[in-house]
Amino acid sequence: MIPTYNQEQYIEKTIRSALYQDYNNLEIIVSDDCSSDNTENIIKKLVSEFPQIKYFRNFNNIGRVKNYRKLLYEYATGEYVVNLDGDDFFIYKKFISDSVINIKEEEIKGNKIMFLMACKRFFSPEKGFELIHKIDNQELVIPGKEFILGLFSKYYFSHLTTLYNRKEALKIDFYRSNIISSDLECIGRLAIQGDVILTKKIVGQWNGTGNNESKVPDVSKQIVNCKWIESVANELRGKVSLFKYYYWKLKAKIYYSSFIASALFRERKITSKDLIKMSENKMVLPFILFILISPLKKILVK
């Protein structure tokens, strides 16, 4: 699934990277969220060259998360799905074929696989390339709850390199939350339903473009975004010890306080409404702890 909006610089490379996958039974669906640039014409030209591409264009701009949801619920028909944003691309042509084989092999063994998550490389104009992989094993099969508990320290999250079970995703109401980290909220809840496969293979490139919503310097949006933590925690409760449950929630909230702090630094203001939202989302204490811990971490690193 390829959602896109005003990505004329990247969309052709994105679609071609999907076309170059060597998996035979591949469904390539593009949903254009009413782009106002040349994105539509570029896609139509590719469709004329590769008729297997299914192209849909929204009459109005419905937003990133609703566009994701529309792709999954109205257009996708495959057993497995991967979301490839219109400014990212695959760099390993056997990603999907290898992943399907791995999932099937593990299911034969009796594991209930919710998704396979490979690694990505990150590119930004400021820093260049950065390889992202945080597992020691070449491949790891673990209970999804262990994956969640290890987030931000032992394991990683990568949307564009995750092949997930479509039917299982529909069962838990994927893309129900219109927040920045809607993808992490969905994958987090999905993981807890069964087992996951993590692999060290670097299969895609995530581009840190100016349109990347995770970098939005909006304090209010970053505070509301922390709702994903409570959502995943609700699924986790009762499946791990109370200590692990509360420790994970606090760890995740302290980690995501860095995004609030970054937005606050750029906006240089916080309103009374923002403070109320922080209280409602139980982010006041984690944010204070983050502010206190940050200088200590710098001293320890030195």
Side-chain angles (χ1 to χ4, degrees):
M1 303 193 314
I2 303 176
T4 186
Y5 174 68
N6 283 356
Q7 291 169 320
E8 61 183 6
Q9 290 178 274
Y10 310 97
I11 190 62
E12 181 170 356
K13 189 169 187 176
T14 299
I15 294 173
R16 287 189 181 276
S17 78
L19 287 164
Y20 292 153
Q21 288 291 302
D22 70 353
Y23 187 66
N24 291 327
N25 193 24
L26 188 63
E27 182 178 59
I28 299 174
I29 313 165
V30 184
S31 180
D32 179 4
D33 198 16
C34 199
S35 293
S36 57
D37 63 1
N38 200 39
T39 296
E40 180 181 14
N41 292 329
I42 293 169
I43 298 170
K44 283 183 174 179
K45 186 178 178 182
L46 285 167
V47 170
S48 66
E49 185 180 352
F50 302 99
Q52 67 266 42
I53 300 170
K54 297 178 183 178
Y55 174 55
F56 301 92
R57 178 177 167 86
N58 298 331
F59 291 111
N60 301 298
N61 183 277
I62 60 175
R64 180 181 63 97
V65 178
K66 287 184 179 179
N67 200 26
Y68 279 158
R69 188 175 173 92
K70 195 170 187 178
L71 270 163
L72 182 63
Y73 282 78
E74 297 182 26
Y75 304 143
T77 62
E79 186 177 0
Y80 303 104
V81 176
V82 60
N83 286 44
L84 180 65
D85 285 346
D87 57 353
D88 301 325
F89 56 89
F90 296 130
I91 59 175
Y92 178 58
K93 73 175 185 177
K94 296 176 71 65
F95 165 49
I96 294 175
S97 57
D98 283 356
S99 298
V100 171
I101 290 170
N102 287 359
I103 291 171
K104 294 296 184 185
E105 287 177 348
E106 290 302 325
E107 287 179 338
I108 289 171
K109 295 176 185 176
N111 294 313
K112 188 181 179 184
I113 303 298
M114 296 293 106
F115 60 77
L116 180 147
M117 186 177 293
C119 296
K120 66 188 175 189
R121 69 186 186 194
F122 171 69
F123 177 80
S124 70
E126 301 84 15
K127 296 182 180 179
F129 286 106
E130 176 186 351
L131 298 182
I132 301 176
H133 46 84
K134 293 184 179 178
I135 60 170
D136 296 327
N137 309 60
Q138 192 64 34
E139 186 173 294
L140 195 62
V141 182
I142 57 173
K145 61 185 179 182
E146 296 301 323
F147 167 75
I148 295 300
L149 292 174
L151 274 177
F152 319 122
S153 54
K154 195 174 181 181
Y155 306 124
Y156 57 87
F157 169 71
S158 173
H159 194 192
L160 80 109
T161 62
T162 300
L163 188 75
Y164 60 89
N165 186 302
R166 185 176 67 89
K167 287 185 179 179
E168 293 294 335
L170 296 178
K171 284 180 186 177
I172 64 165
D173 197 14
F174 241 50
Y175 299 120
R176 67 184 185 184
S177 300
N178 191 11
I179 55 176
I180 296 170
S181 294
S182 58
D183 49 3
L184 180 51
E185 190 268 347
C186 294
I187 291 296
R189 289 188 295 114
L190 182 63
I192 297 167
Q193 311 308 313
D195 305 306
V196 305
I197 303 174
L198 306 178
T199 173
K200 256 189 175 180
K201 288 178 184 173
I202 300 166
V203 304
Q205 178 170 312
W206 178 43
N207 288 311
T209 66
N211 294 330
N212 194 286
E213 193 163 356
S214 62
K215 293 186 173 184
V216 171
D218 186 314
V219 174
S220 181
K221 279 189 176 182
Q222 293 293 352
I223 293 169
V224 172
N225 184 48
C226 293
K227 285 182 177 179
W228 80 265
I229 298 169
E230 290 292 339
S231 180
V232 173
N234 287 339
E235 292 284 341
L236 195 60
R237 187 162 196 162
K239 298 179 176 69
V240 298
S241 69
L242 279 177
F243 173 79
K244 287 183 178 180
Y245 167 78
Y246 283 112
Y247 176 76
W248 179 81
K249 274 214 308 184
L250 182 60
K251 180 178 73 169
K253 288 185 176 185
I254 291 174
Y255 182 87
Y256 265 73
S257 290
S258 66
F259 294 93
I260 299 173
S262 179
L264 182 58
F265 178 77
R266 282 177 282 183
E267 281 196 340
R268 297 191 179 279
K269 65 176 181 179
I270 187 166
T271 66
S272 57
K273 287 183 179 179
D274 291 334
L275 292 172
I276 291 170
K277 285 179 182 177
M278 284 187 76
S279 177
E280 289 174 347
N281 288 281
K282 301 174 183 177
M283 286 299 298
V284 176
L285 177 60
F287 185 76
I288 292 171
L289 289 173
F290 169 77
I291 297 299
L292 293 173
I293 291 169
S294 294
L296 180 61
K297 285 175 72 177
K298 289 180 181 178
I299 293 169
L300 291 174
V301 168
K302 288 180 181 179

